């Protein structure tokens, strides 16, 4: 009894231990031995959102926000509501180079100004040169669909576009002759179109670097050279895998060289495999994942996307997502990154927040985050818990959601105001309420999550049970189970290394005053749990305050974590 009381007192004292967060600002990231590491050698997990769907529209001339103030409000809301530490920030070739060989410096100034609203909040950024269906300029004014990406001058001379009977805009990648022909020409550099893109991207990277103070450029993690690449159509005898090897990877290597010349040599390229490799709809998926590529190494990141096409169909997956539903898919992403000798990030994932399949959204998001966090299902985690969390950026963050005024394909008769205003999508996790205050479109528990922001060592295992939608984690340790009860909880096990900075765990709103059982010294500062220790294997259990037997739970979890 005395030991339990003493432990409880020590835990309460640890919560008030002052630690200055600014002392541990390890901003510069690198890829090392299959993980991101900061200047203090800590393993870093990036979590956040894509900013933003508005960048795909003409409404604000390819910018994520109408004004700098809108960008600032959005960045502050993202930090406050979700604890995000990174964003994928979209920019578009059409607005960078609207006329051939003429770079729009005003657009790049505006991009950089809006980007800085996120770095001002301490949020890391990685740029994404975005495209969907090659270009909006391929589509006629009465089309059901639209695209984004290439400027008008790089999208001329193609046949009248038509997808035929297509139930999803993505089918244009296979069925629309204008889209497939233009995409094919890009990869074969017809009329030097790929040359122009790479040159324009290099000019954009130079501009951003020169416009950012050095301390803010440190917060820029890297670059996604091109969103969701696909062939358009294959050459005779070519397969999806040989296309990746013979056309996609040379493009990435070329882009990598452009990054180096632009002053980005110390930052990785976030390279995506063939987009169809990311699909889980059997008739749409194709082999890929850069399986025929040489190992990428530390100057690249394996960058996957994940959407459950079956769940979005409403037919192929009639029910809700369940425990461990996406574990295998995310472990495949982990395995591909390991085989390529680098780390992984899932730079897009999500599910519609409105529409006829939005009843699945809580379960799908919970299952996706479970796959990012852990290598095992909730039912199996305690017996097979090994593996680090994967970085990821949810699609997407658009405070203009439901308030757009987009002239679809420049047609004044087709003004899009609903949802994302892009191909009838509804993915934004945020919107503005009647008072113009950012509010979430999804349960906060799903997106404001415990995650290991920086681990002073190597993560051995991590899990988080958010209690959103339903409970999937099954705790086999009776005293730990009694202590936690029905509260959210997280467990981190790591091999601690010598470091001048602590392990940092983000605490969601539901756990800002947590009960912490840990082999390390713990302190709470705002929305962060700071853990300091000497070298060796460490553990931390984070949950809500409890009347349970702390000493018994600690003894039980200590025995568990040294036994596997």
């Amino acid at each position: 009894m005395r030991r339990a009381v003493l432990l409880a007192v020590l835990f309460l004292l640890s919560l008030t231990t002052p630690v200055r967060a600014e002392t541990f600002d390890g901003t510069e990231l690198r890829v090392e031995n299959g993980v991101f590491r900061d200047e203090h050698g800590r393993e870093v997990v990036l979590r956040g959102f894509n900013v933003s769907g508005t960048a795909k529209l003409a409404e604000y001339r390819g910018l994520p926000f109408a004004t700098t103030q809108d960008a600032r409000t959005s960045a502050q809301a993202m930090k406050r509501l979700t604890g995000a530490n990174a964003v994928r920030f979209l920019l578009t070739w059409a607005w960078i180079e609207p006329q051939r060989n003429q770079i729009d410096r005003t657009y790049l100034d505006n991009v950089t100004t809006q980007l800085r609203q996120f770095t001002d909040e301490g949020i890391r950024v990685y740029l994404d040169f975005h495209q969907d269906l090659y270009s909006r300029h391929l589509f006629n004014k009465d089309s059901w669909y639209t695209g984004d990406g290439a400027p008008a001058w790089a999208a001329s001379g193609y046949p009248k576009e038509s997808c035929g009977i297509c139930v999803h805009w993505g089918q244009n990648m296979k069925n629309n002759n204008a889209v497939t022909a233009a995409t094919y020409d890009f990869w074969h550099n017809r009329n030097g179109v790929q040359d122009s893109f790479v040159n324009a991207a290099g000019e954009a990277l130079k501009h951003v670097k020169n416009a950012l103070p050095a301390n803010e450029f440190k917060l820029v993690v890297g670059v996604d050279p091109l969103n969701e690449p696909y062939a358009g159509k294959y050459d005779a005898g070519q397969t999806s895998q040989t296309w990746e090897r013979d056309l996609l990877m040379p493009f990435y290597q070329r882009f990598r060289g452009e990054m180096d010349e632009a002053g980005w040599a110390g930052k990785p390229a976030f390279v995506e495999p063939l987009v169809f490799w990311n699909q889980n709809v059997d008739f749409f998926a194709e082999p890929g994942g850069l399986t025929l590529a040489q190992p990428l190494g530390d100057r690249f990141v394996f960058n996957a996307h994940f959407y459950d096409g079956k769940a979005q169909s409403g037919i192929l997956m009639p029910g809700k997502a369940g425990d461990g539903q996406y574990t295998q898919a995310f472990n495949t992403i982990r395995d591909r990154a390991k085989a390529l000798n680098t780390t992984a990030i899932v730079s897009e994932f999500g599910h519609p927040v409105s529409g006829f399949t939005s009843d699945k959204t809580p379960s799908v998001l919970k299952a996706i985050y479970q796959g990012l966090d852990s290598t095992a299902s909730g039912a199996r985690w305690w017996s097979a818990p090994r593996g680090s969390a994967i970085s990821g950026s949810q699609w997407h963050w658009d405070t203009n959601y439901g308030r757009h005024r987009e002239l679809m394909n420049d047609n004044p008769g087709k003004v899009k105001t609903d949802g994302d205003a892009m191909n009838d999508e509804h993915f934004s996790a945020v919107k503005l309420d009647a008072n113009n205050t950012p509010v979430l479109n999804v349960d906060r528990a799903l997106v404001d999550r415990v995650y290991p922001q920086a681990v002073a060592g190597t993560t051995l295992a991590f899990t988080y049970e958010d209690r959103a939608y339903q409970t999937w984690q099954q705790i086999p340790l009776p005293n730990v189970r009694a202590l936690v009860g029905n509260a959210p909880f997280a467990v981190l096990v790591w091999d601690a290394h010598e470091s001048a900075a602590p392990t940092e765990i983000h605490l969601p709103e539901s756990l800002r005053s947590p009960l912490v059982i840990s082999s390390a010294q713990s302190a709470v500062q705002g929305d962060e749990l700071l853990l300091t220790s000497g070298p060796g294997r460490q553990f931390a259990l984070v949950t809500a305050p409890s009347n349970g037997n702390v000493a018994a739970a600690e003894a039980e979890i200590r025995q568990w974590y040294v036994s596997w």
Side-chain angles (χ1 to χ4, degrees):
M1 181 66 181
R2 290 178 61 192
R3 174 174 168 76
V5 172
L6 178 60
L7 283 169
V9 171
L10 289 174
F11 290 144
L12 289 172
L13 287 173
S14 73
L15 298 182
T16 61
T17 303
V19 180
R20 294 177 60 83
E22 59 268 28
T23 304
F24 309 112
D25 181 22
T27 51
E28 190 81 72
L29 291 191
R30 65 185 184 277
V31 179
E32 181 182 288
N33 295 327
V35 297
F36 290 110
R37 291 202 181 273
D38 67 11
E39 291 174 332
H40 299 291
R42 296 179 299 180
E43 180 182 327
V44 171
V45 173
L46 304 175
R47 288 288 172 86
F49 297 84
N50 283 261
V51 177
S52 131
T54 300
K56 297 166 67 170
L57 307 177
E59 182 179 14
Y60 301 132
R61 297 187 59 80
L63 292 169
F65 305 99
T67 66
T68 302
Q69 180 58 53
D70 286 351
R72 182 178 303 117
T73 298
S74 194
Q76 291 170 345
M78 185 188 293
K79 189 77 169 177
R80 182 181 72 253
L81 295 173
T82 74
N85 69 350
V87 294
R88 182 177 183 241
F89 198 97
L90 278 61
L91 68 168
T92 310
W93 180 23
W95 303 102
I96 297 169
E97 192 183 16
Q99 302 296 323
R100 194 162 200 172
N101 300 321
Q102 295 181 20
I103 303 299
D104 188 337
R105 300 289 173 181
T106 300
Y107 170 72
L108 293 174
D109 283 337
N110 291 332
V111 164
T112 307
T113 298
Q114 293 192 3
L115 181 157
R116 293 187 70 184
Q117 307 316 304
F118 289 84
T119 56
D120 282 351
E121 295 297 317
I123 297 174
R124 293 185 172 96
V125 174
Y126 60 108
L127 298 182
D128 162 45
F129 287 90
H130 208 81
Q131 72 80 35
D132 294 287
L133 309 183
Y134 186 74
S135 173
R136 67 192 298 268
H137 299 288
L138 290 176
F139 291 82
N140 66 71
K141 68 176 185 175
D142 297 316
S143 180
W144 292 1
Y145 303 107
T146 191
D148 67 287
W153 62 262
S156 61
Y158 292 101
K160 184 177 180 179
E161 63 82 19
S162 174
C163 194
I165 301 174
C166 292
V167 297
H168 187 275
W169 67 263
Q171 290 176 262
N172 283 271
M173 288 185 268
K174 293 280 192 178
N175 295 359
N176 191 318
N177 287 334
V179 172
T180 58
T183 304
Y184 177 90
D185 285 349
F186 176 85
W187 295 112
H188 291 79
N189 200 24
R190 183 171 182 249
N191 296 326
V193 67
Q194 189 182 119
D195 295 340
S196 294
F197 171 78
V198 173
N199 178 71
E203 290 298 315
L205 295 178
K206 291 174 189 174
H207 191 106
V208 171
K209 181 181 187 299
N210 292 336
L212 287 176
N215 63 317
E216 293 183 39
F217 187 60
K218 280 187 172 185
L219 285 168
V220 179
V221 182
V223 187
D224 185 340
L226 190 70
N227 178 67
E228 296 187 345
Y230 59 99
K233 51 189 174 181
Y234 296 119
D235 290 314
Q238 192 175 55
T239 68
S240 54
Q241 292 168 301
T242 59
W243 175 82
E244 284 187 331
R245 182 192 64 195
D246 298 338
L247 288 173
L248 184 60
M249 279 309 305
F251 166 75
Y252 285 149
Q253 294 290 353
R254 183 182 184 190
F255 195 98
R256 173 72 265 180
E258 195 72 20
M259 288 175 62
D260 295 348
E261 290 186 18
W264 293 60
K267 300 180 186 295
F270 289 62
V271 297
E272 301 185 33
L274 172 73
V275 62
F276 304 128
W277 180 80
N278 298 294
Q279 299 294 323
N280 72 338
V281 181
D282 296 338
F283 61 80
F284 204 46
E286 293 183 21
L290 306 180
T291 48
L292 299 183
Q294 295 296 313
L296 297 174
D298 295 348
R299 283 164 51 79
F300 296 86
V301 171
F302 182 67
N303 177 8
H305 290 183
F306 184 85
Y307 293 98
D308 188 341
K310 293 179 180 178
Q312 289 186 41
S313 74
I315 299 171
L316 299 175
M317 192 189 94
K320 308 292 176 59
D323 178 27
Q325 182 146 341
Y326 305 135
T327 297
Q328 180 177 345
F330 283 92
N331 284 345
T332 298
I333 293 170
R334 287 178 171 91
D335 290 344
R336 288 305 310 136
K338 184 177 180 180
L340 291 165
N341 195 29
T342 187
T343 192
I345 192 167
V346 182
S347 64
E348 282 191 31
F349 61 87
H351 192 81
V353 299
S354 179
F356 74 105
T357 67
S358 60
D359 62 313
K360 304 178 191 295
T361 302
S363 67
V364 169
L365 287 181
K366 182 181 177 78
I368 289 174
Y369 276 108
Q370 182 189 56
L372 289 169
D373 288 343
S374 307
T375 60
S377 66
R380 296 188 62 249
W381 186 84
W382 291 82
S383 61
R386 290 167 178 77
S388 295
I390 304 178
S391 295
S393 304
Q394 184 173 330
W395 186 268
H396 63 107
W397 190 268
D398 177 12
T399 47
N400 301 295
Y401 177 84
R403 294 187 173 202
H404 290 283
R405 186 173 174 77
E406 172 74 359
L407 277 61
M408 184 175 178
N409 299 317
D410 299 322
N411 186 346
K414 296 186 75 170
V415 181
K416 294 293 184 179
T417 60
D418 192 35
D420 301 344
M422 177 76 175
N423 291 327
D424 297 319
E425 290 197 321
H426 290 260
F427 276 83
S428 180
V430 70
K431 65 181 179 182
L432 298 178
D433 66 12
N435 297 316
N436 292 323
T437 300
V439 295
L440 292 172
N441 281 326
V442 296
D443 185 344
R444 182 169 179 174
L446 290 166
V447 293
D448 185 17
R449 307 178 59 79
V450 177
Y451 69 97
Q453 296 186 115
V455 175
T458 299
T459 300
L460 301 177
F462 173 71
T463 191
Y464 175 48
E465 174 53 69
D466 50 41
R467 303 293 190 185
Y469 173 63
Q470 61 179 227
T471 296
W472 290 343
Q473 266 281 354
Q474 306 298 323
I475 304 175
L477 311 178
N479 291 305
V480 175
R481 184 169 64 246
L483 181 77
V484 169
N486 294 320
F489 72 93
V491 179
L492 174 68
V493 182
W494 73 104
D495 181 12
H497 304 168
E498 291 288 352
S499 175
T503 291
E504 299 177 9
I505 297 176
H506 170 67
L507 298 174
E509 182 184 42
S510 60
L511 291 174
R512 293 289 165 80
S513 299
L515 169 65
V516 181
I517 299 178
S518 180
S519 56
Q521 181 183 358
S522 64
V524 173
Q525 183 168 292
D527 64 352
E528 290 184 350
L529 172 64
L530 308 180
L531 300 165
T532 57
S533 73
R537 183 178 291 185
Q538 309 293 331
F539 76 91
L541 167 70
V542 184
T543 189
S546 169
N547 293 323
N549 190 326
V550 174
E554 182 196 17
E556 206 169 52
I557 200 168
R558 280 185 180 276
Q559 183 176 7
W560 166 81
Y561 100 101
V562 298
S563 65
W564 54 272

